[in-house]
Amino acid sequence: MIDERLSPYGAESPQALTAQVYDDYKQFVNPPLARVMKLSGSPVEVRAEGCTIWDQSGKAYLDFAGGYGVFTLGHRHPRVLDAVREQLDRIALSGKTMFNVMLGRAARRLAELSPGDLQISFWCNSGTEAIEGAIKLARAATGRAKIVSTIDAYHGKTLGALSVSGREPFQSKFRPLLADSVVVPYGDAGALLPALNDAAAFVIEPIQAEGGVNVPPAGYLSAVRELCDRTGALFIADEVQTGLGRCGYRFACDRDGVVPDVLTLAKGLSGGVIPVGAFIARPAVWLRAFGDAPLVHTSTFGGSEIACAAALAAMDVMDAERLVERARERGEELLAGARAIAADYPVVVREARGLGLLVGVELTHEGYGGFIIPEMLKAGVTVAWTLNQQRVIRLEPPLIVSAAEVARALAALRDAVAAAYDKLGTLPAQAAR
Ligand code: PMP
């Protein structure tokens, strides 16, 4: 079993593979990250399917980190794999000088799925690129420069996206960032109106994912829509993490029934098999920005046949397997279970919150997380911090997860929280956000 899994990697033993990959990371990938991952006992992933990842020793892990939202369909969904394999036998990457059938079809299908009159899409390879494109589109469409975003937002790490991702440690080495970037508190419509004056756009996650799974008050997104209309700023909804079923809605914006001017996607869009990103805009907005300049925003790899074939299959699976409804049902079980743990261990867990299968468990002190995450890993469940809030552990499994798997992850979380309390006792509570 183990040998069969290791042989494609050319390793003689699990120990040999671990030593080799650690050395590669230390010398050639990221020396400080190699150290941190080694210290936290990070295994080596060698195979994955559905909700499960196997490590170098053949141990199975229930994947509740879910690639930070990539694996909505689970790992290696057979329909996506088949679509990619078939496409590989025809044409893989676009030659660029001719029409690309799969791009046209994927763009049409995305428009059919998207809310309201969102219609014209640009396809790229990551979430941060989708945001870059949306910012450029907003500037070009409005002739204004200012981009408003929210404190603790996460939109990516290329320079434009980083300028609207409000976390000091990620920004500080790279200043000056994009001029005219302004932040407002998340979920506070009152603070937004003055900031929107003369702004090109307001970039907002319908639920702040990396900021600690923050769900805004009901009516916030409708107020955003209204304020953007009043000021002429474009409403850019970043659904890179919340889109395509994750939150128990096709798009998290659907919860409030609002239609943004631009919507960004990546992660789950191509079913967890090929990297992809996209932004989709209302036709009038798109044409105002790029209508006279077809090559002003381009990407060599973006919209490749294999990525679009994967995306088409993934969009079909979302409907065929009722993933939106399943995310809502399993999400309710997951959130209820996490809230019960919070109620039983208030010293360790301040709150559990979320929507659908994006659930955050906020600890009273981040020191507990440093214990709970490795403890859950030992029990065979992967979970992760949120990038901008290290006191919040995210639970973000594939939308195909079963009720039994949700129960198993919750049991592992309960045991880890209990063990954290037994081992660490009462840590000084850190101020809530
Ligand atoms: N926007 C949101 C809401 C995200 O969660 C992320 C990634 N966590 C990004 C943008 C950036 O995506 P990528 O890492 O693919 O560039």
Side-chain angles (χ1 to χ4, degrees), residues 5-19:
R5 285 186 179 135
L6 292 186
S7 57
Y9 297 99
E12 278 168 14
S13 68
Q15 294 77 9
L17 188 68
T18 308

PDB file of all heavy atoms in Angstrom, residues 5-19:
ATOM      1  N   ARG A   5       2.190   3.824  -3.160  1.00  0.00           N
ATOM      2  CA  ARG A   5       1.978   5.279  -3.169  1.00  0.00           C
ATOM      3  C   ARG A   5       3.292   6.039  -3.266  1.00  0.00           C
ATOM      4  O   ARG A   5       3.351   7.133  -3.794  1.00  0.00           O
ATOM      5  CB  ARG A   5       1.248   5.709  -1.890  1.00  0.00           C
ATOM      6  CG  ARG A   5      -0.201   5.320  -1.972  1.00  0.00           C
ATOM      7  CD  ARG A   5      -0.991   5.833  -0.817  1.00  0.00           C
ATOM      8  NE  ARG A   5      -2.367   5.403  -1.044  1.00  0.00           N
ATOM      9  CZ  ARG A   5      -3.161   4.876  -0.133  1.00  0.00           C
ATOM     10  NH1 ARG A   5      -2.748   4.743   1.096  1.00  0.00           N
ATOM     11  NH2 ARG A   5      -4.375   4.512  -0.436  1.00  0.00           N
ATOM     12  N   LEU A   6       4.365   5.457  -2.709  1.00  0.00           N
ATOM     13  CA  LEU A   6       5.638   6.188  -2.694  1.00  0.00           C
ATOM     14  C   LEU A   6       6.435   5.997  -3.966  1.00  0.00           C
ATOM     15  O   LEU A   6       7.203   6.872  -4.350  1.00  0.00           O
ATOM     16  CB  LEU A   6       6.484   5.740  -1.497  1.00  0.00           C
ATOM     17  CG  LEU A   6       5.946   6.121  -0.117  1.00  0.00           C
ATOM     18  CD1 LEU A   6       6.944   5.737   0.948  1.00  0.00           C
ATOM     19  CD2 LEU A   6       5.634   7.605  -0.041  1.00  0.00           C
ATOM     20  N   SER A   7       6.233   4.828  -4.621  1.00  0.00           N
ATOM     21  CA  SER A   7       7.105   4.551  -5.756  1.00  0.00           C
ATOM     22  C   SER A   7       7.065   5.626  -6.844  1.00  0.00           C
ATOM     23  O   SER A   7       8.116   5.936  -7.414  1.00  0.00           O
ATOM     24  CB  SER A   7       6.817   3.161  -6.327  1.00  0.00           C
ATOM     25  OG  SER A   7       5.469   3.073  -6.681  1.00  0.00           O
ATOM     26  N   PRO A   8       5.882   6.242  -7.136  1.00  0.00           N
ATOM     27  CA  PRO A   8       5.930   7.294  -8.164  1.00  0.00           C
ATOM     28  C   PRO A   8       6.848   8.449  -7.781  1.00  0.00           C
ATOM     29  O   PRO A   8       7.294   9.198  -8.650  1.00  0.00           O
ATOM     30  CB  PRO A   8       4.477   7.782  -8.254  1.00  0.00           C
ATOM     31  CG  PRO A   8       3.654   6.730  -7.616  1.00  0.00           C
ATOM     32  CD  PRO A   8       4.526   6.036  -6.634  1.00  0.00           C
ATOM     33  N   TYR A   9       7.100   8.620  -6.486  1.00  0.00           N
ATOM     34  CA  TYR A   9       7.984   9.703  -6.045  1.00  0.00           C
ATOM     35  C   TYR A   9       9.440   9.244  -5.969  1.00  0.00           C
ATOM     36  O   TYR A   9      10.314   9.998  -5.556  1.00  0.00           O
ATOM     37  CB  TYR A   9       7.531  10.231  -4.673  1.00  0.00           C
ATOM     38  CG  TYR A   9       6.146  10.855  -4.707  1.00  0.00           C
ATOM     39  CD1 TYR A   9       5.024  10.138  -4.295  1.00  0.00           C
ATOM     40  CD2 TYR A   9       5.952  12.154  -5.172  1.00  0.00           C
ATOM     41  CE1 TYR A   9       3.762  10.687  -4.345  1.00  0.00           C
ATOM     42  CE2 TYR A   9       4.686  12.715  -5.218  1.00  0.00           C
ATOM     43  CZ  TYR A   9       3.586  11.980  -4.804  1.00  0.00           C
ATOM     44  OH  TYR A   9       2.337  12.530  -4.854  1.00  0.00           O
ATOM     45  N   GLY A  10       9.680   7.991  -6.300  1.00  0.00           N
ATOM     46  CA  GLY A  10      11.054   7.480  -6.310  1.00  0.00           C
ATOM     47  C   GLY A  10      11.681   7.406  -4.937  1.00  0.00           C
ATOM     48  O   GLY A  10      12.902   7.528  -4.793  1.00  0.00           O
ATOM     49  N   ALA A  11      10.865   7.190  -3.886  1.00  0.00           N
ATOM     50  CA  ALA A  11      11.418   7.140  -2.531  1.00  0.00           C
ATOM     51  C   ALA A  11      11.396   5.712  -2.011  1.00  0.00           C
ATOM     52  O   ALA A  11      10.490   4.941  -2.316  1.00  0.00           O
ATOM     53  CB  ALA A  11      10.607   8.048  -1.613  1.00  0.00           C
ATOM     54  N   GLU A  12      12.405   5.372  -1.193  1.00  0.00           N
ATOM     55  CA  GLU A  12      12.496   4.001  -0.694  1.00  0.00           C
ATOM     56  C   GLU A  12      11.650   3.783   0.547  1.00  0.00           C
ATOM     57  O   GLU A  12      11.213   2.676   0.837  1.00  0.00           O
ATOM     58  CB  GLU A  12      13.959   3.668  -0.382  1.00  0.00           C
ATOM     59  CG  GLU A  12      14.710   3.265  -1.624  1.00  0.00           C
ATOM     60  CD  GLU A  12      16.204   3.211  -1.396  1.00  0.00           C
ATOM     61  OE1 GLU A  12      16.634   3.230  -0.226  1.00  0.00           O
ATOM     62  OE2 GLU A  12      16.917   3.168  -2.409  1.00  0.00           O
ATOM     63  N   SER A  13      11.454   4.867   1.310  1.00  0.00           N
ATOM     64  CA  SER A  13      10.706   4.730   2.562  1.00  0.00           C
ATOM     65  C   SER A  13      10.046   6.069   2.891  1.00  0.00           C
ATOM     66  O   SER A  13      10.458   7.111   2.369  1.00  0.00           O
ATOM     67  CB  SER A  13      11.658   4.351   3.693  1.00  0.00           C
ATOM     68  OG  SER A  13      12.520   5.439   3.958  1.00  0.00           O
ATOM     69  N   PRO A  14       9.041   6.030   3.776  1.00  0.00           N
ATOM     70  CA  PRO A  14       8.424   7.289   4.200  1.00  0.00           C
ATOM     71  C   PRO A  14       9.445   8.251   4.789  1.00  0.00           C
ATOM     72  O   PRO A  14       9.404   9.451   4.515  1.00  0.00           O
ATOM     73  CB  PRO A  14       7.412   6.846   5.257  1.00  0.00           C
ATOM     74  CG  PRO A  14       7.134   5.414   4.983  1.00  0.00           C
ATOM     75  CD  PRO A  14       8.375   4.854   4.360  1.00  0.00           C
ATOM     76  N   GLN A  15      10.381   7.712   5.573  1.00  0.00           N
ATOM     77  CA  GLN A  15      11.395   8.570   6.205  1.00  0.00           C
ATOM     78  C   GLN A  15      12.278   9.231   5.143  1.00  0.00           C
ATOM     79  O   GLN A  15      12.611  10.419   5.254  1.00  0.00           O
ATOM     80  CB  GLN A  15      12.298   7.755   7.162  1.00  0.00           C
ATOM     81  CG  GLN A  15      11.599   7.188   8.384  1.00  0.00           C
ATOM     82  CD  GLN A  15      10.751   5.946   8.079  1.00  0.00           C
ATOM     83  OE1 GLN A  15      10.804   5.389   6.977  1.00  0.00           O
ATOM     84  NE2 GLN A  15       9.941   5.538   9.037  1.00  0.00           N
ATOM     85  N   ALA A  16      12.654   8.448   4.121  1.00  0.00           N
ATOM     86  CA  ALA A  16      13.521   8.992   3.060  1.00  0.00           C
ATOM     87  C   ALA A  16      12.798  10.116   2.320  1.00  0.00           C
ATOM     88  O   ALA A  16      13.388  11.165   2.017  1.00  0.00           O
ATOM     89  CB  ALA A  16      13.923   7.880   2.093  1.00  0.00           C
ATOM     90  N   LEU A  17      11.497   9.914   2.050  1.00  0.00           N
ATOM     91  CA  LEU A  17      10.740  10.937   1.320  1.00  0.00           C
ATOM     92  C   LEU A  17      10.624  12.214   2.156  1.00  0.00           C
ATOM     93  O   LEU A  17      10.795  13.327   1.655  1.00  0.00           O
ATOM     94  CB  LEU A  17       9.343  10.412   0.963  1.00  0.00           C
ATOM     95  CG  LEU A  17       8.535  11.327   0.039  1.00  0.00           C
ATOM     96  CD1 LEU A  17       9.145  11.400  -1.347  1.00  0.00           C
ATOM     97  CD2 LEU A  17       7.083  10.865  -0.060  1.00  0.00           C
ATOM     98  N   THR A  18      10.349  12.043   3.462  1.00  0.00           N
ATOM     99  CA  THR A  18      10.216  13.191   4.357  1.00  0.00           C
ATOM    100  C   THR A  18      11.526  13.977   4.412  1.00  0.00           C
ATOM    101  O   THR A  18      11.534  15.210   4.305  1.00  0.00           O
ATOM    102  CB  THR A  18       9.835  12.706   5.779  1.00  0.00           C
ATOM    103  OG1 THR A  18       8.706  11.857   5.667  1.00  0.00           O
ATOM    104  CG2 THR A  18       9.515  13.864   6.690  1.00  0.00           C
ATOM    105  N   ALA A  19      12.638  13.272   4.567  1.00  0.00           N
ATOM    106  CA  ALA A  19      13.943  13.936   4.657  1.00  0.00           C
ATOM    107  C   ALA A  19      14.249  14.681   3.361  1.00  0.00           C
ATOM    108  O   ALA A  19      14.735  15.818   3.372  1.00  0.00           O
ATOM    109  CB  ALA A  19      15.030  12.903   4.955  1.00  0.00           C
TER     110      ALA A  19
END
